[in-house]
Amino acid sequence: MRIVVARDYLELSKKAANMLASQIILKPNSVLGLATGATPIGTYSELVRLYKEETISFCDIITFNLDEYYGLDVDNKQSYSYFMKEHLFHHINIKKENIHIPNGKAQDIFLECKRYEAAIKDAGGIDMQLLGIGRNGHIGFNEPDVKFEAMTHLVTLDEDTIGANSRFFKDKEQVPRQAISMGIKTIMHSRKILLLANGIEKADMIYEMINGKITPELPASVLQLHPDVTVILDGNAASALKIYEIP
Ligand code: GLP
């Protein structure tokens, strides 16, 4: 695991965008795994800037998002589909048919999960997967006690996640209780993983993810077993890792 500590959120976002940009430049038809949440928003705006400056092009890029709320339509402002359009897809030259996000309105969830896994496989697998981390250590929507063997599946959100994600909704009652998420196994199959975290509330979780026991109780701890993970932190998220000088 490579740990990079950035001065602040802007530097973290620039470093993350540069890693994704270099993946895109080296392999213009890369398959990227994308994440939602507040953390990657700065990374997406840096990528949009690099695209506008003609440093990178998304014309042959294929994307797969980690997850989507179950029951939300693509036009719902709280859906991850809407989030991705707003923060990235509407501002770059990606082809519509190259964008993949689980269908939160699928009639047959089992088939939808199977279809999603097959699409990732058909695209040749994920070259670089971007991740955030939940306050309870989840990645995607793989909540504590998820099975490490899980592929894309329907998940029931933890009370903690519902509370944390309610900041994006009018009130807590509106937060969907379920989601479709890539599984831990899907994520672990990615060739490279880039995990971002900022803010003091992530510090203990980051410490445990890097130094703690590898256990489904802390889903992100499985990343200790992946051969190519880069973790980019701001000083606050890195503050429990005493070996680093905090800027
Ligand atoms: C959601 C997403 C995760 C994300 C997490 C953290 O639950 N499903 O992929 O990592 O939120 O969000 P934030 O970056 O806002 O802390």
Side-chain angles (χ1 to χ4, degrees):
M1 225 182 240
R2 275 181 298 274
I3 321 280
V4 178
V5 183
R7 261 193 310 278
D8 52 24
Y9 179 69
L10 182 63
E11 193 184 81
L12 174 153
S13 304
K14 282 182 189 284
K15 283 181 186 295
N18 285 350
M19 280 194 62
L20 287 157
S22 109
Q23 174 68 39
I24 292 169
I25 290 165
L26 293 174
K27 187 179 174 196
N29 60 348
S30 287
V31 179
L32 303 180
L34 300 179
T36 51
T39 311
I41 291 177
T43 305
Y44 294 146
S45 61
E46 284 300 313
L47 283 175
V48 170
R49 190 179 58 79
L50 291 169
Y51 163 70
K52 290 196 169 144
E53 287 172 358
E54 297 182 12
T55 308
I56 51 174
S57 167
F58 289 83
C59 70
D60 291 321
I61 292 295
I62 299 172
T63 64
F64 285 89
N65 263 80
L66 279 168
D67 44 22
E68 178 60 283
Y69 287 115
Y70 178 56
L72 295 194
D73 198 76
V74 288
D75 295 325
N76 187 308
K77 286 194 172 162
Q78 263 74 41
S79 74
Y80 284 162
S81 186
Y82 192 94
F83 173 102
M84 289 308 299
K85 283 183 217 149
E86 193 187 351
H87 292 289
L88 186 66
F89 297 148
H90 272 170
H91 312 286
I92 58 175
N93 64 338
I94 191 161
K95 293 183 186 118
K96 232 177 161 184
E97 63 270 27
N98 285 352
I99 296 172
H100 303 85
I101 301 179
N103 177 5
K105 292 287 271 186
Q107 297 285 325
D108 187 331
I109 295 294
F110 178 73
L111 265 188
E112 172 60 10
C113 295
K114 242 177 108 177
R115 184 197 66 79
Y116 205 65
E117 284 292 334
I120 295 173
K121 202 170 165 207
D122 287 352
I126 293 169
D127 290 303
M128 186 176 277
Q129 175 68 55
L130 181 63
L131 293 177
I133 183 169
R135 286 191 318 202
N136 61 1
H138 74 214
I139 45 177
F141 266 134
N142 291 283
E143 301 284 35
D145 293 328
V146 68
K147 288 195 169 50
F148 282 166
E149 309 80 44
M151 311 283 274
T152 299
H153 63 309
L154 183 70
V155 297
T156 298
L157 305 185
D158 256 23
E159 269 309 308
D160 188 74
T161 301
I162 292 167
N165 290 7
S166 63
R167 72 200 133 121
F168 300 113
F169 291 78
K170 265 204 202 113
D171 60 68
K172 200 173 160 186
E173 287 321 301
Q174 293 195 353
V175 185
R177 268 40 186 174
Q178 289 181 304
I180 298 175
S181 177
M182 279 187 199
I184 294 289
K185 192 166 176 181
T186 324
I187 293 169
M188 289 295 278
H189 274 160
S190 311
R191 294 183 188 94
K192 294 177 197 153
I193 292 179
L194 175 56
L195 183 141
L196 314 179
N198 68 300
I200 197 72
E201 68 280 7
K202 302 278 173 78
D204 290 343
M205 204 43 78
I206 289 295
Y207 177 86
E208 287 300 324
M209 174 187 92
I210 295 170
N211 301 296
K213 189 172 163 215
I214 300 168
T215 165
E217 283 167 36
L218 201 165
S221 65
V222 76
L223 299 177
Q224 291 179 34
L225 301 173
H226 192 282
D228 194 336
V229 179
T230 303
V231 179
I232 309 183
L233 307 168
D234 74 344
N236 287 327
S239 59
L241 307 172
K242 300 192 176 58
I243 49 171
Y244 297 99
E245 198 181 312
I246 308 305

